[in-house]
Amino acid sequence: MSTDTIPNTGTALALSGGGARGFAHIPVCEAFDRAGVRPAAIAGTSMGSVIGALYASGMSGATLRSEVTAMFAKATDVMGRMVTARRNRPGIFRFSFANPSPLDPKALLEAFLPDDLPPRIEDLGIPFAAVAVDFHSGEEIVFREGPLIAALAASIAFPPVMRPVEMNGHVLVDGGVANPLPHDVAGGEGLEVVASDVVLLPRVEPGKVPSPVLGLVGAAQILMQAVTRAKAASSPPALLVRPDVNDYAMFDFLKAEKIIATGDAAGAEVEQWLKLHALPERNL
């Protein structure tokens, strides 16, 4: 669908990063479906970009819930998919002492995303933007067109878990470094933004010293929350929801069903808001 068919008015959707916690965005997508409202635009960072792209491709929120739940229900199935991906795409576990990040984000996405996903961002049914960051300049890079998988790979390239993505003269890493919740990217003239934030703060037992890995991830979460608060203070979204995902870590992919369920209350809040504020946008 051409982006020219989408009016520049209505409600946009912004989805934060957060790793596996990003599965809690799915009930927010379901809320748009139940309210009969199609987002005028979608923007996402990291896992939010993946969920946002799938939703923008035409997949319903309910289908997202069922397919993600099934995909991550069994550890053996997930590992089998990764082993098959490694056999078919050797780059998925590239490793060297000079570049120790073990996962190639593009190959990983190709292993888990649907084969029939549109190849380019502009082929999606809803205008979509994925956020990444240039590692060397710190510049926020927003992809609104071009190869979809490459843009998503750049957006999820969380160091040191993922390799940076080299693209268009940039060395790109996870967009959460600069814009964890891209409500400013999703918005535009005449658009109100519903934003879903699942970064939150690290969950550590009071008084307990985190492990080095949890310390690194937790420090990143604290930084991302500071960035989100600053952006929201200067230009708040019309509605901000924060699914209660603090019982789950960003790598808890095998707990997908439970993480999705934590977003149900946020989804109900979004649905109610849409029914009160977004009636003119129904059935666009």
Side-chain angles (χ1 to χ4, degrees), residues 94 96 98-99 103-107 132-136 141 143 147 149-157 162-174:
R94 287 180 185 173
S96 71
N99 184 15
L103 295 177
D104 180 325
K106 185 173 184 292
V133 174
D134 185 300
F135 180 80
H136 294 296
I141 305 295
F143 292 96
I149 297 297
L152 297 180
S155 188
I156 70 169
M162 301 281 185
R163 296 176 61 241
V165 173
E166 296 181 52
M167 188 176 177
N168 300 332
H170 298 281
V171 176
L172 300 168
V173 296
D174 192 300

Side-chain angles (χ1 to χ4, degrees), residues 79-103:
M79 290 307 299
R81 188 181 288 262
M82 293 185 72
V83 168
T84 300
R86 183 181 184 184
R87 185 183 306 121
N88 296 336
R89 305 170 180 86
I92 197 169
F93 289 115
R94 287 180 185 173
F95 183 93
S96 71
F97 288 107
N99 184 15
S101 298
L103 295 177

Side-chain angles (χ1 to χ4, degrees), residues 51-271:
I51 298 298
L54 290 170
Y55 190 48
S57 75
M59 188 177 292
S60 70
T63 299
L64 269 170
R65 182 188 289 253
S66 62
E67 294 200 0
V68 168
T69 297
M71 183 176 292
F72 292 96
K74 296 181 181 179
T76 52
D77 291 346
V78 174
M79 290 307 299
R81 188 181 288 262
M82 293 185 72
V83 168
T84 300
R86 183 181 184 184
R87 185 183 306 121
N88 296 336
R89 305 170 180 86
I92 197 169
F93 289 115
R94 287 180 185 173
F95 183 93
S96 71
F97 288 107
N99 184 15
S101 298
L103 295 177
D104 180 325
K106 185 173 184 292
L108 195 64
L109 288 170
E110 289 172 345
F112 282 88
L113 292 181
D115 293 333
D116 59 352
L117 201 63
R120 297 183 64 82
I121 294 173
E122 54 267 39
D123 296 332
L124 296 171
I126 295 172
F128 172 75
V131 178
V133 174
D134 185 300
F135 180 80
H136 294 296
S137 69
E139 177 187 5
E140 181 179 324
I141 305 295
V142 178
F143 292 96
R144 300 184 188 275
E145 58 184 18
L148 177 60
I149 297 297
L152 297 180
S155 188
I156 70 169
F158 182 76
V161 179
M162 301 281 185
R163 296 176 61 241
V165 173
E166 296 181 52
M167 188 176 177
N168 300 332
H170 298 281
V171 176
L172 300 168
V173 296
D174 192 300
V177 175
N179 198 347
L181 179 60
H183 64 275
D184 54 332
V185 174
E189 186 179 352
L191 292 181
E192 292 188 298
V193 180
V194 171
S196 177
D197 181 15
V198 296
V199 175
L200 306 185
L201 293 174
R203 181 178 179 271
V204 181
E205 252 181 75
K208 185 175 181 180
V209 177
S211 68
V213 172
L214 288 179
L216 177 64
V217 172
Q221 290 173 319
I222 292 169
L223 175 61
M224 287 188 281
Q225 272 297 299
V227 172
T228 297
R229 284 196 299 270
K231 283 182 175 286
S234 63
S235 179
L239 176 66
L240 173 62
V241 293
R242 288 193 166 102
D244 185 12
V245 293
N246 258 346
D247 284 340
Y248 301 96
M250 66 181 298
F251 301 117
D252 280 340
F253 290 95
L254 294 174
K255 299 178 181 178
E257 184 173 15
K258 292 180 178 179
I259 294 173
I260 293 171
T262 66
D264 286 340
E269 183 179 351
V270 170
E271 182 181 3

